[in-house]
Amino acid sequence: MREACDLILKDLHGLMEAVRTRAEEHRRTPMIGRTHGVHAEPMTFGLKLALWYAELSRDITRVSRAREVISVGKLSGAVGTFAHLPPSIEADVCRTLGLEPAPVASQVIQRDRHSELLSALAIAGSSLEKFALEIRGLQKTEIGEVEEPFARGQKGSSAMPHKRNPIGCEQIVGLARLLRANAGAAFENNALWHERDISHSSVERVIVPDSFIVLDHMLRRFTRIVAGMVVYPDRMKENLERSRGVVFSGTVLLELARRGVSREQAYEWVQRNAMRAFHEQRDFKQLLLADPDVTRVLPPADVERAFDLNEQLKHVDHIFGRVFQEVAV
Amino acid sequence: MREACDLILKDLHGLMEAVRTRAEEHRRTPMIGRTHGVHAEPMTFGLKLALWYAELSRDITRVSRAREVISVGKLSGAVGTFAHLPPSIEADVCRTLGLEPAPVASQVIQRDRHSELLSALAIAGSSLEKFALEIRGLQKTEIGEVEEPFARGQKGSSAMPHKRNPIGCEQIVGLARLLRANAGAAFENNALWHERDISHSSVERVIVPDSFIVLDHMLRRFTRIVAGMVVYPDRMKENLERSRGVVFSGTVLLELARRGVSREQAYEWVQRNAMRAFHEQRDFKQLLLADPDVTRVLPPADVERAFDLNEQLKHVDHIFGRVFQEVAV
Amino acid sequence: MREACDLILKDLHGLMEAVRTRAEEHRRTPMIGRTHGVHAEPMTFGLKLALWYAELSRDITRVSRAREVISVGKLSGAVGTFAHLPPSIEADVCRTLGLEPAPVASQVIQRDRHSELLSALAIAGSSLEKFALEIRGLQKTEIGEVEEPFARGQKGSSAMPHKRNPIGCEQIVGLARLLRANAGAAFENNALWHERDISHSSVERVIVPDSFIVLDHMLRRFTRIVAGMVVYPDRMKENLERSRGVVFSGTVLLELARRGVSREQAYEWVQRNAMRAFHEQRDFKQLLLADPDVTRVLPPADVERAFDLNEQLKHVDHIFGRVFQEVAV
Amino acid sequence: MREACDLILKDLHGLMEAVRTRAEEHRRTPMIGRTHGVHAEPMTFGLKLALWYAELSRDITRVSRAREVISVGKLSGAVGTFAHLPPSIEADVCRTLGLEPAPVASQVIQRDRHSELLSALAIAGSSLEKFALEIRGLQKTEIGEVEEPFARGQKGSSAMPHKRNPIGCEQIVGLARLLRANAGAAFENNALWHERDISHSSVERVIVPDSFIVLDHMLRRFTRIVAGMVVYPDRMKENLERSRGVVFSGTVLLELARRGVSREQAYEWVQRNAMRAFHEQRDFKQLLLADPDVTRVLPPADVERAFDLNEQLKHVDHIFGRVFQEVAV
């Protein structure tokens, strides 16, 4: 299992490198951030990737710790008493194998250790699920901001030649379900009878290799997807502008509040113009500039500044600094 | 959640102390060790408790790490860009709250952190499940080696006045199922859409308080059970002797092999006498002493030594040393 | 639990009625069907709802069966032998309670019955999860085809006044996770020791009421969402036309094949024009009409017919007939 | 999947036959019934098997229904509209394959159907888990009432020649964990995006064959175990008598109550004698006969009758009649 952990760790590092490269590339590629699936405020594509990078570093920490937790051995006999061999032999054998002797054991190493391992793999799987789900969301036809790599000449769909489907990401999303199911089975394996019953064994023969193989496949496939994914900055810009500026309403709200308008009053003014922009398909900023309630408090130049993308994104470099320098990997 | 973690940690420490006290008390209380539910080789009751102690220390490590992982804050706005507040305010607020600023966030702190927490609680629950299952096994009528504390005057069963049921341990076993179910739901919560959807929220409102409350109840109840459990050393001795010495067959086997008998041959001799002891209800040692194949290789004095309990248990102190001194808690 | 089942069944029927009403309303409201999140072929919004209706009828079947499976009683004593009361009393009591006597029991009714119940609830929850996920998908800003009901004057987001978030559907998606976690705990409850241990009890006290309450809340909330959801047929039409006709490529492919063009050849011709339509933002039908390879085989009138929406949707009424008349509820 | 269901159903029937044979054989083999792992009241070994039989018949019902639920087909195209083929072709193809056309479908058959199947398999697995756990409990050395078949010449344990371990039953207990984990993954597969995403596919490729293969292996192995298990009626009788009659305390309690002693008073008298029997290792019946409080109300002949095993087991035949004649399989 240690070798399998090492492989997972290596591939986690590989994915991190791929993520970092694309994050730097798109550090300042603006796009709309979405909460609840709905446009929220501007961000950059690189920021999404920075978040992935930081989460992968936590996955590495979890898998590394789990690797250490399972790197124990025991040679203390049928019930853990060293009845037939002294502890010194256990120490020698463990040293040879690069293991720590478990301080105490029954017939077997206790399965809370394996539970920790399978949990770490399942959580790493859910990280990849989240990232793959992101790409699936951005590849929806109407959004079209990112696409999985699609080899020239590759068929998209047997029946529908126009389609380019994020099937790699969909597979990764599915496989995460297997990993958490396996972790659930691992949790059940800990409570063995007395000095051990062997019920855990048939379970582990399935879940341990399956989880390692599945996660490693996910990591390798997703690394290729990240390295090769096609990003459409024009489409990101187009989508960002699609809502005619209402994504800056939070800034306007705050600017009004900062100038002494009650939050409730400011909310009403902003929402009223946002709804008009939405329903009448008009530009939000122009509506605000034409609303005397607003302009009485917020001079036109300040309205303009509230719509300044660079102003919104001025802390991106700071975040990159925190993620890529401060997070030890 | 940090306060809840602190409570869990405090109660884990409390349980460890209770376990340690009883472990020392029964360090040399001999009993039969059981694998597959079947008599294996002698051990002591204290050794079981030492194993619990070591596992609880790993639970503390896991919960402590998870506590640290969730002790992060963010004040970076709707999509994590610090569009309206600078990072310095986040830093101030986090410092005041005793949190680390998350290096990067979406609208929310990422849920891999919560998954780690719920896993740690679920694994700790499975540790208690194992310990409680042990007591349930030892309290079976025919075994009768340990009993849950039973208050004087307490009714055992409404219909069967003779019964003393390990209902506390049964409850603990059941509640572990809830904890791992909750961890499974937590794993699903990580893959949110884009800069967050709120699907995790209704789940967390149930699983986070439920898991903390359930585990804390388990810890407190099990601590009382450990502190007050009634141990029957006479019954342990009686059970140990019940199989007329065949539990020493492993030692005999090894002694024969050490003197040059092939393992296969030795196995046959030992099993043949073990089966007679079982079927004819005769003493295994006497059968061996009357078996010329055996005594030709293994002189009577050496046969006697193979049945020496002190010899079998000579490394118990060493194990206690490893568990109670070397495992930092 | 029977009363709780009845409530669930009543609310499932209520949801079906709400779904049916909206399905009839949008039986012929055209929209793009999406596979892999990517435009596939045209369909109608009513068809989605017809599919929900049929699935809900299966949920009703499952919950009804589970209701029957748990509607059993037993009064056969501590280990199921009728040692102190004859079966006739059990029969009388069960008749009074409207229960069937379990043909055989231990101290308790066997928990495979409860597992079936909790599974039925979890599967019904996953149905609602799917439906709610559909609305969340259609409410994404760029798609904008359907919105959860949004009360006039309701605030969308405390910080972003422009937002209308599908928080009801997000909650329903989250709660489905709890239901399946609870089913997992129920599965573990079946294997009790001998004539019963009480480990299942603490689990059931949580999962049985929680699952009923959660599912019933989901049903009621989702019924309100279905009844009040705002559908934007213009937006559906706009999205349908967004890909400039390439969603009809499957029909063109089949028409070519029907006229003797090899599938491979037809695929190449169609994909080539589809890609041009996509990359050059041109109308797919016009490209086909200008492609001599295509028109040599497929006369312009036949190309036109391949883009006829009514032709594509001509079997919708047939499907509605199957779902709303043939599926007994 | 239908063929796999048929195989499971065939093997469920095979197991039922094996269970029925052993149930008839041990219909009147008395043994102690155990609740909470503690002696409760007398029963017969055949009664345990009758309970298994009835549960297996419910498993057959569940798997049969699930088989029907998944026996549907669809040929309605990429989004379920029959855009390119009329429903009549679907009907023909389905008829040929022995399937029902799904009344409505997206690109795929809905996955609530597969969830029902995987649940049915998981619940059947938990039934076998319960049965195997029973044998494991009865094979514990101190109990020794039943043993898994053990081939002559088979080695019990490589290190401990005296051991006969219920490893088949332990494996069955373990494998049930896999089945329920797989059902959990199946539940997650239902909520696909719009007219389908393919995330379910990779999951189903693992869980569907694995669950069928695992359950079928469990059924076959457990059928051999049931057919060949060694039952020790003498040991059952010995254990029944081990508690010196206190297992009849419930009858004594009821007889006292029937004669007008308050339940509380009767409980005190009975418990007091039961505790003496336990602590002083004396015969419970003799203690009662020597207790003037008791004999004043309950004449010696009635005390004797309360300890009559035949009286306790007089309804066993009735239960067998209900299980083996009334339960249609």
Side-chain angles (χ1 to χ4, degrees), chain A residues 51 54-59 62 123-124 126-127 130-131, chain B residues 69-70 109-119 186-187 189-191 204:
Chain A
L51 183 138
E55 181 157 338
L56 287 167
S57 79
R58 292 192 296 276
D59 287 318
R62 278 184 287 262
I123 297 173
S126 80
S127 298
K130 174 164 57 185
F131 311 157
Chain B
V69 166
I70 55 150
I109 294 293
Q110 298 307 290
R111 264 45 199 173
D112 64 299
R113 298 176 185 270
H114 302 69
S115 297
E116 184 174 342
L117 173 63
L118 274 286
S119 295
F187 292 152
N189 271 348
N190 193 20
E204 288 169 0

Side-chain angles (χ1 to χ4, degrees), chain C residues 92-300:
Chain C
D92 286 349
V93 172
C94 283
R95 195 178 314 115
T96 307
L97 297 170
L99 300 171
E100 280 295 305
V104 55
S106 64
Q107 187 169 74
V108 289
I109 294 292
Q110 297 307 288
R111 265 43 199 173
D112 64 298
R113 300 175 184 269
H114 304 69
S115 297
E116 183 174 342
L117 173 64
L118 274 286
S119 294
L121 301 182
I123 298 174
S126 80
S127 298
L128 269 71
E129 179 188 22
K130 174 164 56 185
F131 311 157
L133 197 66
E134 177 73 46
I135 294 178
R136 288 175 57 198
L138 298 180
Q139 188 162 347
K140 291 189 98 171
T141 303
E142 285 84 355
I143 296 180
E145 299 180 355
V146 176
E147 279 188 335
E148 264 191 29
F150 190 85
R152 180 175 294 275
Q154 182 184 336
K155 287 194 181 182
S157 150
S158 57
M160 294 170 286
H162 62 288
K163 293 200 63 171
R164 306 217 317 209
N165 299 326
I167 54 169
C169 288
E170 289 173 323
Q171 189 190 61
I172 285 162
V173 166
L175 292 172
R177 294 170 198 152
L178 285 181
L179 293 176
R180 57 184 158 255
N182 287 350
F187 291 151
E188 286 194 58
N189 271 348
N190 192 21
L192 303 178
W193 280 15
H194 305 302
E195 279 57 65
R196 91 83 73 95
D197 68 70
I198 203 165
S199 61
H200 64 95
S201 172
S202 51
V203 183
E204 289 170 359
R205 283 174 197 224
V206 175
I207 65 174
V208 173
D210 270 23
S211 287
F212 275 121
I213 291 166
V214 162
L215 179 57
D216 202 58
H217 169 78
M218 291 165 75
L219 284 169
R220 290 172 188 222
R221 184 158 196 183
F222 195 65
T223 301
R224 289 195 302 273
I225 289 173
V226 167
M229 65 184 169
V230 187
V231 181
Y232 297 98
D234 288 354
R235 197 63 184 276
M236 288 176 176
K237 190 155 175 293
E238 192 184 322
N239 287 338
L240 183 58
E241 291 164 356
R242 172 190 295 260
S243 46
R244 300 173 199 86
V246 293
V247 297
F248 294 98
S249 63
T251 314
V252 176
L253 185 69
L254 279 169
E255 290 302 318
L256 289 168
R258 207 166 275 170
R259 278 159 182 78
V261 182
S262 77
R263 191 165 175 96
E264 204 159 53
Q265 181 64 77
Y267 198 96
E268 192 209 308
W269 293 348
V270 170
Q271 194 180 33
R272 150 181 106 196
N273 284 286
M275 290 301 160
R276 278 190 69 192
F278 180 74
H279 286 298
E280 304 174 15
Q281 310 205 0
R282 295 177 57 185
D283 185 74
F284 180 54
K285 188 169 72 182
Q286 298 309 321
L287 289 169
L288 288 175
L289 289 169
D291 184 329
D293 283 339
V294 171
T295 48
R296 199 172 308 127
V297 182
L298 205 64

Side-chain angles (χ1 to χ4, degrees), chain A residues 34-41 137 139-143 154-167 170 188 235 239 242 246-247 249-250 253 263 267 270-271 274-275, chain C residues 34-41 137 139-143 154-167 170 188 235 239 242 246-247 249-250 253 263 267 270-271 274-275:
Chain A
R34 294 167 176 96
T35 56
H36 311 274
V38 175
H39 282 197
E41 292 191 338
Q139 188 162 347
K140 291 190 97 171
T141 303
E142 285 84 355
I143 296 180
Q154 182 184 339
K155 288 193 180 182
S157 152
S158 57
M160 294 171 286
H162 62 287
K163 292 199 66 171
R164 306 215 318 206
N165 300 325
I167 54 168
E170 290 173 322
E188 286 194 59
R235 196 64 183 275
N239 287 336
R242 172 191 295 261
V246 294
V247 297
S249 62
L253 186 70
R263 189 164 176 95
Y267 198 94
V270 171
Q271 192 180 33
M275 289 304 158
Chain C
R34 296 167 175 94
T35 55
H36 311 274
V38 174
H39 283 196
E41 294 191 338
Q139 188 162 347
K140 291 189 98 171
T141 303
E142 285 84 355
I143 296 180
Q154 182 184 336
K155 287 194 181 182
S157 150
S158 57
M160 294 170 286
H162 62 288
K163 293 200 63 171
R164 306 217 317 209
N165 299 326
I167 54 169
E170 289 173 323
E188 286 194 58
R235 197 63 184 276
N239 287 338
R242 172 190 295 260
V246 293
V247 297
S249 63
L253 185 69
R263 191 165 175 96
Y267 198 96
V270 170
Q271 194 180 33
M275 290 301 160

Side-chain angles (χ1 to χ4, degrees), chain A residues 261-318:
Chain A
V261 182
S262 77
R263 189 164 176 95
E264 203 159 54
Q265 181 63 77
Y267 198 94
E268 193 207 309
W269 293 347
V270 171
Q271 192 180 33
R272 153 180 103 195
N273 284 286
M275 289 304 158
R276 276 189 72 191
F278 180 72
H279 288 298
E280 304 175 13
Q281 311 208 358
R282 296 176 58 183
D283 187 73
F284 180 54
K285 188 170 69 181
Q286 298 309 322
L287 289 170
L288 290 173
L289 290 168
D291 183 331
D293 282 341
V294 172
T295 48
R296 199 172 309 126
V297 183
L298 205 63
D302 290 357
V303 171
E304 291 287 351
R305 191 160 50 248
F307 287 77
D308 181 355
L309 201 53
N310 285 325
E311 183 66 20
Q312 297 258 336
L313 301 176
K314 66 173 178 252
H315 293 298
V316 168
D317 286 341
H318 175 83

Side-chain angles (χ1 to χ4, degrees), chain D residues 12 16 19 26 40 50 62 68 75 91-92 96 98 102 113 124 131-132 136 156 181 186 196 213 220 247 256 259 291:
Chain D
L12 275 166
M16 283 182 78
V19 167
H26 291 287
R62 280 184 285 263
E68 195 183 338
L75 255 169
D92 286 349
T96 307
R113 300 175 185 271
F131 311 156
R136 289 175 57 197
R196 94 81 74 92
I213 290 166
R220 289 172 188 223
V247 296
L256 288 169
R259 279 161 182 80
D291 184 329

Side-chain angles (χ1 to χ4, degrees), chain D residues 229-242:
Chain D
M229 66 184 169
V230 187
V231 181
Y232 297 98
D234 288 353
R235 197 65 183 275
M236 289 176 174
K237 189 155 175 292
E238 192 184 322
N239 286 338
L240 183 59
E241 290 164 357
R242 173 191 295 261

